[in-house]
Amino acid sequence: MANKKNKGSLQAEYPNLYDGISADDLDACMSFAEDYKAFLDISKTEREFVKNSIEAAEDLGFKSIDKIKKLKAGDKVYASIKDKGLILAVIGSQPTSEGINILGAHIDSPRLDLKPNPIYEENETAYFKTHYYGGIKKYQWTTIPLAIHGVVFSKDGKAHEIVIGEKDDDPVFYITDLLPHLGSEQMAKKASEFIPGEHLNVVIGGIPVKGKEKEPYKEAVLKFLNDNYGIVEKDFVAGEIEIVPAMKARDVGFDRAYIAAYGHDDKVCAYPALMSLLAQERPSKTCVTILTDKEEIGSYANSGAQSVLYENFLMELLALTGDGSFDMLKFRKMIAASKMLSTDVSNAFDPKYSSVSDSRNSAYMSHGIKLEKYVGARGKSGTNEATGDFVAEIVGIFDKNSIPWQTGELGKIDAGGGGTISAYMAKMGMNVIDAGVPVWSMHAPYELISKIDLYYTYLAYKAFIENI
Ligand code: MN
Ligand code: MN
């Protein structure tokens, strides 16, 4: 299905991909969506995504690179990046030094993290204090069911994993908002101000311990946590507890065209980037998928895309596919010859909010993977801009493999903007372009994507790593 049909005219067309789809393609699309939803529901945090990805990879014969002395064509290896990022490779028959094909997504999503001293009580209710992570509209996080996911490390180094709010009979957690009857002053405020960050406090308990404790409601929560997870209040300082929406991924529409879920950004690209790598057996070029953390706050930390730990793995790939020695110049040349899709989501044109988008330079829901030559803000600030010849090469691969694609910018020029990991990867020297699934309500607790975009994005990623 080629989308740039010229039909005797010189003008480009970017059709809706559900329009005229064959029954077989629709079946394949619906079935890929089922697998994605199942994976997403058990992978809401970066740690969970890494754990489940490693499990899937090991089932297919992937091994941790730590245990490897030499790599040959067909070998499958991975490295966990602090358990919050992951990098995986399938070794190709061509020398790695001639360049590798890379897909790179991020697996962190906007959420509420617990503060280091999170538990308090007020007016006979126990609460968690949170600090939001990434760009959110704070008011969207009130009055929805919330789940707790994460890990607390005690001084003995033991990890205490906590997941509450996902099973049907689990309790959920909740942030209150003001009733409209008394909300007139609140409603007159700007949306960025009417729910301050310090109001994102989560209700976690309301039955006190018996006795004479100073704070019996807080004490009851601490007792529950100690009985069930063996932790005490001070352990939270070494905690990584994330508050995420408790909702599961659900089909949307009478025809089930869409999926609503928490964390499509960027797991709706990370999942097909992982799956297209796992589908490789004997590629000609070495294929790599990178799943990074901390993108939503600038790709910092040792698990973010700016960390050298991802680079270390690529250095090991070069050394272990050769004679085991490492040569920096050879490495730099390998990276310069490498090609990457930065597989991150972008906005889809929303007719209700058409004023923020240039309709002639916008991606549309169900029109396929969105190729973005550049992202950034204002005068293209902060962007990786892909070179024209690299864009042409990608378009050539997609067209040759009948992969429909579209293009567009993230909104009007002065309406805002955003970044991805592409700039950091380009800095290493490789050719990079952003290409991902268009999203409605991006960064909301429950985002919307089209199943047909997910499916053709998977085919696009596969075509890229197999053919470029
Ligand atoms: Mn993203
Ligand atoms: Mn984002």
Side-chain angles (χ1 to χ4, degrees):
M1 185 196 292
N3 76 330
K4 265 189 110 180
K5 286 181 250 169
N6 285 332
K7 283 189 192 161
S9 105
L10 296 175
Q11 301 195 16
E13 281 180 38
Y14 300 94
N16 186 303
L17 304 178
Y18 277 129
D19 189 8
I21 189 173
S22 75
D24 283 354
D25 283 351
L26 189 60
D27 275 356
C29 155
M30 291 290 165
S31 126
F32 192 80
E34 288 307 304
D35 295 342
Y36 168 58
K37 286 188 294 175
F39 196 88
L40 195 55
D41 284 341
I42 56 167
S43 311
K44 287 189 175 179
T45 68
E46 57 278 21
R47 283 181 184 274
E48 291 165 352
F49 202 104
V50 166
K51 191 169 148 258
N52 294 324
S53 301
I54 291 177
E55 214 172 281
E58 285 185 341
D59 281 351
L60 294 167
F62 280 75
K63 293 192 169 62
S64 170
I65 201 163
D66 297 339
K67 298 168 189 158
I68 305 287
K69 297 273 177 288
K70 186 149 186 65
L71 286 171
K72 57 177 191 319
D75 284 352
K76 302 170 176 182
V77 284
Y78 70 84
S80 163
I81 308 294
K82 300 288 171 191
D83 299 330
K84 300 166 75 162
L86 183 64
I87 179 163
L88 314 96
V90 180
I91 307 303
S93 47
Q94 285 181 34
T96 306
S97 58
E98 290 173 12
I100 57 181
N101 298 340
I102 305 172
L103 297 167
H106 68 91
I107 50 175
D108 59 319
S109 300
R111 59 177 188 255
L112 309 178
D113 288 337
L114 290 198
K115 289 194 179 191
N117 196 14
I119 308 175
Y120 75 103
E121 75 165 66
E122 198 163 37
N123 277 65
E124 299 165 352
T125 302
Y127 294 91
F128 271 150
K129 289 183 81 72
T130 68
H131 192 138
Y132 65 91
Y133 171 96
I136 63 166
K137 290 176 160 178
K138 284 165 281 195
Y139 63 84
Q140 292 178 331
W141 289 75
T142 65
T143 69
I144 59 171
L146 297 167
I148 293 173
H149 286 236
V151 61
V152 171
F153 295 91
S154 46
K155 273 187 290 187
D156 55 8
K158 211 173 149 214
H160 306 263
E161 282 183 36
I162 303 177
V163 179
I164 310 175
E166 295 297 342
K167 296 194 199 108
D168 285 343
D169 59 350
D170 269 358
V172 293
F173 304 89
Y174 188 89
I175 297 170
T176 60
D177 192 4
L178 200 50
L179 61 169
H181 314 63
L182 299 175
S184 59
E185 196 183 315
Q186 180 200 41
M187 301 276 272
K189 288 185 182 166
K190 289 200 322 198
S192 58
E193 288 164 5
F194 72 74
I195 302 288
E198 293 292 347
H199 279 202
L200 294 176
N201 300 324
V202 183
V203 172
I204 53 171
I207 302 176
V209 288
K210 289 198 176 75
K212 290 194 176 141
E213 292 293 337
K214 194 168 63 163
E215 297 180 299
Y217 295 86
K218 171 176 169 175
E219 184 67 21
V221 168
L222 286 170
K223 190 172 177 333
F224 174 87
L225 290 171
N226 192 257
D227 289 349
N228 289 278
Y229 300 98
I231 54 177
V232 297
E233 187 176 14
K234 269 191 176 168
D235 291 334
F236 277 98
V237 74
E240 289 183 27
I241 301 286
E242 304 178 10
I243 308 288
V244 298
M247 295 95 86
K248 289 192 180 342
R250 301 283 295 264
D251 290 349
V252 172
F254 291 115
D255 53 10
R256 300 175 180 268
Y258 307 104
I259 303 171
Y262 165 69
H264 281 316
D265 179 5
D266 180 34
K267 297 174 184 92
V268 74
C269 295
Y271 180 76
L274 174 69
M275 288 302 138
S276 46
L277 185 87
L278 297 189
Q280 302 308 312
E281 283 298 335
R282 298 294 295 239
S284 57
K285 277 209 187 155
T286 292
C287 298
V288 169
T289 287
I290 300 178
L291 304 172
T292 73
D293 180 29
K294 295 281 186 284
E295 192 277 341
E296 295 296 354
I297 57 166
S299 295
Y300 301 113
N302 55 9
S303 52
Q306 300 197 58
S307 164
V308 295
L309 298 183
Y310 297 95
E311 216 172 318
N312 284 358
F313 178 90
L314 299 177
M315 289 175 170
E316 279 185 290
L317 275 192
L318 177 63
L320 297 176
T321 50
D323 62 6
S325 68
F326 178 74
D327 178 324
M328 192 62 177
L329 184 61
K330 207 170 162 195
F331 174 71
R332 289 259 165 89
K333 285 187 167 172
M334 171 186 97
I335 295 296
S338 297
K339 292 162 187 177
M340 173 172 173
L341 289 186
S342 162
T343 59
D344 203 348
V345 300
S346 188
N347 69 313
F349 183 86
D350 187 335
K352 288 207 303 288
Y353 303 101
S354 58
S355 65
V356 298
S357 290
D358 167 7
S359 64
R360 293 178 185 86
N361 282 283
S362 194
Y364 289 82
M365 207 64 151
S366 305
H367 288 224
I369 187 170
K370 178 181 184 182
L371 266 184
E372 283 178 283
K373 188 170 185 290
Y374 49 85
V375 289
R378 302 175 304 280
K380 300 190 179 178
S381 179
T383 187
N384 161 59
E385 180 152 11
T387 59
D389 56 322
F390 186 55
V391 180
E393 197 179 349
I394 299 297
V395 167
I397 295 281
F398 286 175
D399 285 352
K400 198 170 150 211
N401 290 277
S402 302
I403 304 292
W405 56 272
Q406 56 178 331
T407 187
E409 295 192 339
L410 199 163
K412 274 186 182 165
I413 293 167
D414 291 324
T420 66
I421 65 168
S422 59
Y424 307 114
M425 307 316 280
K427 189 171 168 254
M428 289 171 68
M430 62 186 80
N431 273 306
V432 191
I433 183 167
D434 286 291
V437 175
V439 179
W440 270 333
S441 313
M442 215 173 109
H443 280 212
Y446 211 47
E447 305 169 303
L448 200 69
I449 60 105
S450 165
K451 289 180 183 175
I452 198 85
D453 292 334
L454 165 65
Y455 179 59
Y456 279 108
T457 293
Y458 166 65
L459 296 183
Y461 292 169
K462 216 162 153 286
F464 169 83
I465 51 170
E466 288 172 2
N467 296 291
I468 193 130

